[in-house]
Amino acid sequence: MAQKAKTRRTVVIGMLGTTLDTGMGSQRWTRWRPTVSLCQQEDLLVHRLELLHPPQATSLAAVIQEDIAQVSPETQVRLTSLPIRDPWNLEETYGALLDHVLAQSFHPEEEDYLVHITTGTHIAQICMFLLVESRLIPGRLVQTSPGKGKEHAAVGTHAIIDLDLSNYDTLAARFRRQQREGLSFLKSGIDTHNAAFNRLIERIEQVAVQSRAPLLLTGPTGAGKSQLAKRIYALKKARNQVAGPFVDLNCATLRGDGAMSTLFGHVKGAFTGAVGDRPGLMRQANGGVLFLDEIGELGADEQAMLLRALEDKRFLPVGADKEAESDFQLIAGTNRDLQLDVERGRFREDLLARINLWTFRLPALRERPEDIAPNLQYELDQASQALGTRVTMSKEAQEYFLRFATSPEARWSGNFRDLNAAVLRMSTLAAGGRMTREVVDEELERLRAQWRPAGAVATSGSEDVLVEVMGPARAAELDRFDRVQLADVVTVCRSARSLSDAGRTLFAQSRAQKKSVNDADRLRKYLARFGLAWADVSGRDAE
């Protein structure tokens, strides 16, 4: 004979409602009392009720225990007095509840646990929620409500809430939609395809909405640090993370005595020409975000003052006897290697440690070839707004531009600034708002000429390039002829995406006359003549 399955018991943990659960005389049965109501639900059998109450409510708790015995004889009510003097004190209430929960033995394989969150102060309800959310109580929430009409008001209704979002498709979908909107916002609505960049933006979104710690954005000039900083601020503003303004400054523009005044302000008469008080950018950013681009350009004194302002939220304006206060979040940007600057004594190590908690490197445009097409469309939309007319590209023109833009020949040394300028020029010259192949041809020649000096560093900076790759001793052993040629090869390798791309650029003419080509092998053998490998000259692993 099959053994009868053991029935799981339902255990409810709840706080006594010192206001909602009150009632004396026969009239109390016409009132909605949440704790009693919970045990009157037809489709919810409560086997045991753990009723917690403050010491001063012992009498009321006893009345509730007796009333539940009348309406639900199957329910065992266990009263527990908690040492809570002030139920509106978060620390005291949570501490008492936590101590009680930690002293209990839960058996989730035999019992289903519900935590009643309708009664008790708001503080107690929050604490109960936290104990369930953290899984210290392995159960679900139950909420009761009064019924409609006089006949059903006292009994009311109940709803069980599972904090596992996977059981709430609508809530989970809204959460995912909000996250996607945040990611799209940070990317200016551009549908980027580069996996590494998308992961970077996901992490920035996660940190931006949860932390007020400093953020450090690194990457080459024109990679989009300033634009991203503004987007981070706007996202935090939309999520009610900040209330103050966005204040930005390019530290490379600071010069001399004016640097301290610009950042920290000054008082009247602090120096010649100080005819009035100046609050300074740091005070202007109070409650908001301060973006310091090119932070590596700050002088030693400004670095020391900034560190104090970050740690203590206080600083001394120029010429002042009294400190000023400002609570802001710092976003710093740089295209320099700040760790190298620390080693060279140009940047404070303690300041770098303070702003280096969250560091995100924005890749160069040429590192994201798959994102050039969607960014091209974005720049076309921006150009259309700037010119006040709709600008489009013919299919032939677009394919021709993208073929060049994603090739090793396109250096994009100015990154998105180069792309923005190129699209704006082409849009301006597009007759009737339609960009043709001829317009694109003209722009490509302009870009080639613009980038040519940067590609010719072999003649002017060959020593620096080769010393960096080979070391000063080995570089000095090369003939002048080899130095010039090898430096140009190294420069091309650094800007190429792969060994094969570099080979195609370096052997573009001769390869056209060969029936069978292996540019990668040809370049590999050339580098080997000087004891070099692809990883040595490009900084990336071999293919």
Side-chain angles (χ1 to χ4, degrees):
M1 184 175 179
Q3 184 176 0
K4 186 177 179 180
K6 187 176 181 180
T7 303
R8 294 175 62 85
R9 294 169 56 81
T10 298
V11 178
V12 175
I13 304 169
M15 290 287 292
L16 177 70
T18 55
T19 298
L20 291 178
D21 282 333
T22 57
M24 301 299 291
S26 59
Q27 293 296 319
R28 71 181 185 276
W29 294 105
T30 63
R31 293 186 69 251
W32 173 68
R33 293 179 294 168
T35 301
V36 177
S37 167
L38 183 63
C39 298
Q40 291 178 285
Q41 303 299 306
E42 292 184 0
D43 53 349
L44 176 64
L45 175 58
V46 178
H47 294 91
R48 187 172 80 250
L49 172 62
E50 299 285 348
L51 188 57
L52 314 177
H53 63 87
Q56 63 271 25
T58 302
S59 298
L60 176 60
V63 171
I64 297 298
Q65 184 181 38
E66 293 175 0
D67 287 350
I68 291 176
Q70 293 187 47
V71 299
S72 181
E74 304 93 339
T75 303
Q76 176 191 7
V77 180
R78 297 203 309 203
L79 304 180
T80 301
S81 176
L82 295 182
I84 301 175
R85 295 186 304 274
D86 181 4
W88 292 99
N89 184 294
L90 176 61
E91 183 178 2
E92 180 183 355
T93 302
Y94 185 75
L97 285 169
L98 178 62
D99 290 343
H100 173 75
V101 168
L102 293 178
Q104 304 306 304
S105 296
F106 293 98
H107 305 283
E109 68 282 354
E110 300 174 1
E111 298 176 325
D112 290 325
Y113 297 97
L114 299 176
V115 174
H116 193 203
I117 59 167
T118 306
T119 51
T121 63
H122 294 326
I123 292 296
Q125 293 170 3
I126 291 171
C127 293
M128 295 288 248
F129 172 89
L130 292 175
L131 291 168
V132 175
E133 193 269 342
S134 64
R135 305 303 295 170
L136 288 173
I137 300 178
R140 296 172 292 170
L141 304 177
V142 61
Q143 187 173 28
T144 51
S145 305
K148 296 181 179 179
K150 290 185 178 180
E151 311 91 44
H152 306 289
V155 175
T157 60
H158 77 283
I160 294 177
I161 306 168
D162 193 335
L163 292 182
D164 184 357
L165 278 181
S166 65
N167 293 333
Y168 285 80
D169 293 339
T170 302
L171 293 178
R174 290 185 63 182
F175 175 79
R176 290 192 297 269
R177 183 168 65 251
Q178 184 184 40
Q179 186 182 39
R180 285 197 302 269
E181 289 171 353
L183 297 176
S184 177
F185 185 81
L186 289 178
K187 296 188 292 184
S188 301
I190 301 172
D191 186 19
T192 56
H193 305 296
N194 183 274
F197 180 75
N198 286 335
R199 286 195 300 271
L200 174 71
I201 294 298
E202 287 178 6
R203 185 51 53 87
I204 290 176
E205 189 268 348
Q206 183 181 6
V207 172
V209 299
Q210 295 190 36
S211 173
R212 295 193 75 245
L215 304 178
L216 178 60
L217 306 180
T218 69
T221 298
K225 296 186 291 292
S226 298
Q227 178 73 6
L228 181 57
K230 293 175 183 177
R231 288 272 165 176
I232 290 174
Y233 166 76
L235 180 63
K236 293 177 74 71
K237 185 83 170 177
R239 301 282 179 86
N240 297 311
Q241 298 290 320
V242 294
F246 177 81
V247 179
D248 64 322
L249 172 70
N250 189 322
C251 298
T253 64
L254 297 178
R255 292 290 182 273
D257 297 335
M260 294 288 282
S261 175
T262 300
L263 277 173
F264 307 102
H266 66 247
V267 297
K268 180 180 178 180
F271 49 83
T272 303
V275 295
D277 293 347
R278 181 180 185 180
L281 298 182
M282 213 151 277
R283 263 190 287 186
Q284 290 181 22
N286 185 34
V289 171
L290 176 65
F291 175 54
L292 295 182
D293 198 9
E294 304 305 341
I295 193 172
E297 301 296 331
L298 283 180
D301 293 340
E302 291 79 27
Q303 291 179 34
M305 286 276 282
L306 176 60
L307 178 62
R308 170 85 192 286
L310 288 173
E311 292 183 338
D312 301 336
K313 310 299 182 184
R314 303 173 68 85
F315 54 90
L316 194 66
V318 178
D321 297 324
K322 182 180 179 182
E323 289 184 323
E325 297 182 359
S326 182
D327 186 6
F328 58 88
Q329 180 177 6
L330 176 70
I331 302 179
T334 184
N335 62 359
R336 297 167 59 154
D337 184 342
L338 294 183
Q339 186 58 54
L340 184 61
D341 283 352
V342 167
E343 295 172 3
R344 292 176 175 175
R346 296 182 54 180
F347 200 81
R348 292 181 65 104
E349 185 174 14
D350 48 4
L351 178 57
L352 179 58
R354 188 69 180 81
I355 68 175
N356 200 29
L357 177 62
W358 295 107
T359 299
F360 302 101
R361 179 189 176 274
L362 272 63
L365 180 58
R366 64 174 177 266
E367 297 176 47
R368 301 166 49 194
E370 60 269 66
D371 286 344
I372 292 180
N375 274 282
L376 171 62
Q377 186 58 54
Y378 172 79
E379 294 296 348
L380 282 170
D381 293 340
Q382 295 297 106
S384 297
Q385 293 182 24
L387 298 174
T389 182
R390 182 62 181 164
V391 181
T392 61
M393 295 181 79
S394 69
K395 183 178 180 181
E396 179 190 16
Q398 183 169 334
E399 291 177 349
Y400 185 63
F401 180 83
L402 288 175
R403 189 159 52 247
F404 166 82
T406 57
S407 71
E409 185 181 3
R411 294 181 55 81
W412 299 119
S413 52
N415 293 292
F416 287 96
R417 288 175 183 160
D418 281 354
L419 181 61
N420 171 270
V423 174
L424 185 57
R425 285 192 294 262
M426 291 189 294
S427 299
T428 304
L429 297 175
R434 183 68 170 171
M435 204 178 299
T436 63
R437 166 73 181 269
E438 289 72 26
V439 172
V440 174
D441 269 327
E442 182 179 341
E443 179 58 30
L444 298 192
E445 287 305 313
R446 187 182 290 109
L447 289 174
R448 289 186 179 100
Q450 174 183 321
W451 293 332
R452 193 167 295 129
V457 294
T459 56
S460 59
S462 59
E463 292 296 333
D464 293 337
V465 172
L466 296 181
V467 166
E468 185 178 342
V469 172
M470 306 178 71
R474 289 174 60 196
E477 296 174 356
L478 296 175
D479 290 333
R480 181 174 181 179
F481 175 84
D482 288 332
R483 282 202 305 271
V484 173
Q485 187 180 60
L486 181 58
D488 187 55
V489 170
V490 170
T491 301
V492 171
C493 289
R494 287 182 167 184
S495 63
R497 297 194 302 271
S498 65
L499 184 66
S500 298
D501 281 342
R504 283 191 290 271
T505 301
L506 290 166
F507 308 122
Q509 303 303 320
S510 60
R511 73 192 303 269
Q513 302 175 17
K514 293 179 176 290
K515 293 183 179 181
S516 177
V517 295
N518 190 335
D519 301 318
D521 185 61
R522 192 174 173 188
L523 176 55
R524 190 182 293 109
K525 290 177 179 177
Y526 173 81
L527 294 173
R529 285 173 46 197
F530 302 96
L532 297 173
W534 167 252
D536 299 326
V537 297
S538 67
R540 296 185 291 278
D541 294 335
E543 296 178 315

Short mmCIF file of all heavy atoms in Angstrom, two decimals, residues 258-278:
data_model
loop_
_atom_site.label_atom_id
_atom_site.label_comp_id
_atom_site.label_asym_id
_atom_site.label_seq_id
_atom_site.Cartn_x
_atom_site.Cartn_y
_atom_site.Cartn_z
N GLY A 258 45.42 81.23 -12.25
CA GLY A 258 43.98 81.12 -12.48
C GLY A 258 43.44 79.72 -12.28
O GLY A 258 42.22 79.54 -12.15
N ALA A 259 44.32 78.71 -12.27
CA ALA A 259 43.87 77.33 -12.15
C ALA A 259 43.16 77.10 -10.81
O ALA A 259 42.07 76.54 -10.75
CB ALA A 259 45.04 76.37 -12.31
N MET A 260 43.79 77.51 -9.72
CA MET A 260 43.22 77.31 -8.40
C MET A 260 41.91 78.07 -8.25
O MET A 260 40.93 77.55 -7.70
CB MET A 260 44.20 77.77 -7.32
CG MET A 260 45.47 76.94 -7.24
SD MET A 260 45.21 75.30 -6.54
CE MET A 260 45.12 75.71 -4.80
N SER A 261 41.86 79.30 -8.78
CA SER A 261 40.66 80.10 -8.68
C SER A 261 39.51 79.48 -9.47
O SER A 261 38.36 79.48 -9.02
CB SER A 261 40.94 81.52 -9.18
OG SER A 261 39.76 82.29 -9.20
N THR A 262 39.82 78.97 -10.67
CA THR A 262 38.78 78.36 -11.50
C THR A 262 38.14 77.17 -10.81
O THR A 262 36.92 77.01 -10.80
CB THR A 262 39.37 77.92 -12.85
OG1 THR A 262 39.90 79.05 -13.54
CG2 THR A 262 38.31 77.26 -13.71
N LEU A 263 38.97 76.34 -10.21
CA LEU A 263 38.47 75.13 -9.57
C LEU A 263 37.86 75.39 -8.20
O LEU A 263 36.76 74.93 -7.89
CB LEU A 263 39.59 74.10 -9.45
CG LEU A 263 39.89 73.23 -10.66
CD1 LEU A 263 41.14 72.41 -10.43
CD2 LEU A 263 38.71 72.31 -10.98
N PHE A 264 38.59 76.09 -7.37
CA PHE A 264 38.22 76.20 -5.95
C PHE A 264 37.64 77.57 -5.56
O PHE A 264 37.21 77.75 -4.43
CB PHE A 264 39.42 75.88 -5.07
CG PHE A 264 40.05 74.56 -5.40
CD1 PHE A 264 41.21 74.49 -6.15
CD2 PHE A 264 39.46 73.37 -5.00
CE1 PHE A 264 41.79 73.27 -6.47
CE2 PHE A 264 40.02 72.15 -5.32
CZ PHE A 264 41.18 72.09 -6.06
N GLY A 265 37.67 78.53 -6.49
CA GLY A 265 37.13 79.84 -6.20
C GLY A 265 38.12 80.72 -5.45
O GLY A 265 39.19 80.28 -5.04
N HIS A 266 37.75 81.97 -5.26
CA HIS A 266 38.58 82.89 -4.47
C HIS A 266 37.68 83.92 -3.80
O HIS A 266 36.50 84.06 -4.14
CB HIS A 266 39.63 83.58 -5.35
CG HIS A 266 39.05 84.50 -6.40
ND1 HIS A 266 39.12 84.24 -7.74
CD2 HIS A 266 38.36 85.68 -6.29
CE1 HIS A 266 38.52 85.20 -8.42
NE2 HIS A 266 38.05 86.10 -7.56
N VAL A 267 38.26 84.62 -2.84
CA VAL A 267 37.54 85.70 -2.17
C VAL A 267 38.05 87.04 -2.70
O VAL A 267 39.14 87.12 -3.28
CB VAL A 267 37.72 85.63 -0.64
CG1 VAL A 267 37.13 84.34 -0.09
CG2 VAL A 267 39.20 85.75 -0.25
N LYS A 268 37.27 88.04 -2.51
CA LYS A 268 37.62 89.37 -2.98
C LYS A 268 38.95 89.81 -2.37
O LYS A 268 39.18 89.65 -1.17
CB LYS A 268 36.51 90.35 -2.58
CG LYS A 268 36.76 91.79 -3.01
CD LYS A 268 35.60 92.67 -2.58
CE LYS A 268 35.86 94.13 -2.97
NZ LYS A 268 34.72 95.02 -2.56
N GLY A 269 39.83 90.32 -3.22
CA GLY A 269 41.13 90.80 -2.77
C GLY A 269 42.18 89.72 -2.60
O GLY A 269 43.27 89.99 -2.09
N ALA A 270 41.87 88.48 -3.02
CA ALA A 270 42.83 87.39 -2.84
C ALA A 270 44.10 87.62 -3.64
O ALA A 270 45.18 87.20 -3.24
CB ALA A 270 42.19 86.06 -3.24
N PHE A 271 43.97 88.32 -4.77
CA PHE A 271 45.13 88.63 -5.61
C PHE A 271 44.75 89.82 -6.48
O PHE A 271 43.59 90.25 -6.53
CB PHE A 271 45.54 87.43 -6.47
CG PHE A 271 44.40 86.78 -7.21
CD1 PHE A 271 43.95 87.28 -8.43
CD2 PHE A 271 43.75 85.68 -6.68
CE1 PHE A 271 42.91 86.70 -9.11
CE2 PHE A 271 42.70 85.09 -7.34
CZ PHE A 271 42.26 85.60 -8.56
N THR A 272 45.73 90.37 -7.16
CA THR A 272 45.48 91.52 -8.02
C THR A 272 44.44 91.17 -9.07
O THR A 272 44.58 90.19 -9.80
CB THR A 272 46.78 91.96 -8.72
OG1 THR A 272 47.76 92.24 -7.73
CG2 THR A 272 46.54 93.19 -9.58
N GLY A 273 43.40 91.95 -9.13
CA GLY A 273 42.33 91.70 -10.10
C GLY A 273 41.15 90.96 -9.52
O GLY A 273 40.12 90.83 -10.19
N ALA A 274 41.26 90.48 -8.30
CA ALA A 274 40.14 89.77 -7.66
C ALA A 274 39.21 90.80 -7.04
O ALA A 274 39.25 91.07 -5.84
CB ALA A 274 40.66 88.80 -6.60
N VAL A 275 38.35 91.40 -7.86
CA VAL A 275 37.50 92.49 -7.41
C VAL A 275 36.22 91.99 -6.73
O VAL A 275 35.43 92.78 -6.22
CB VAL A 275 37.12 93.40 -8.60
CG1 VAL A 275 38.37 94.08 -9.15
CG2 VAL A 275 36.43 92.60 -9.71
N GLY A 276 36.00 90.71 -6.76
CA GLY A 276 34.82 90.13 -6.11
C GLY A 276 35.03 88.66 -5.82
O GLY A 276 36.02 88.06 -6.25
N ASP A 277 34.12 88.08 -5.04
CA ASP A 277 34.21 86.65 -4.75
C ASP A 277 33.89 85.82 -5.99
O ASP A 277 33.10 86.23 -6.84
CB ASP A 277 33.22 86.27 -3.64
CG ASP A 277 33.59 86.88 -2.30
OD1 ASP A 277 34.72 87.38 -2.18
OD2 ASP A 277 32.75 86.84 -1.39
N ARG A 278 34.53 84.67 -6.07
CA ARG A 278 34.25 83.73 -7.16
C ARG A 278 34.00 82.35 -6.55
O ARG A 278 34.86 81.84 -5.82
CB ARG A 278 35.42 83.66 -8.14
CG ARG A 278 35.19 82.72 -9.32
CD ARG A 278 36.38 82.70 -10.25
NE ARG A 278 36.14 81.90 -11.44
CZ ARG A 278 37.03 81.71 -12.42
NH1 ARG A 278 38.23 82.28 -12.33
NH2 ARG A 278 36.72 80.97 -13.47
#
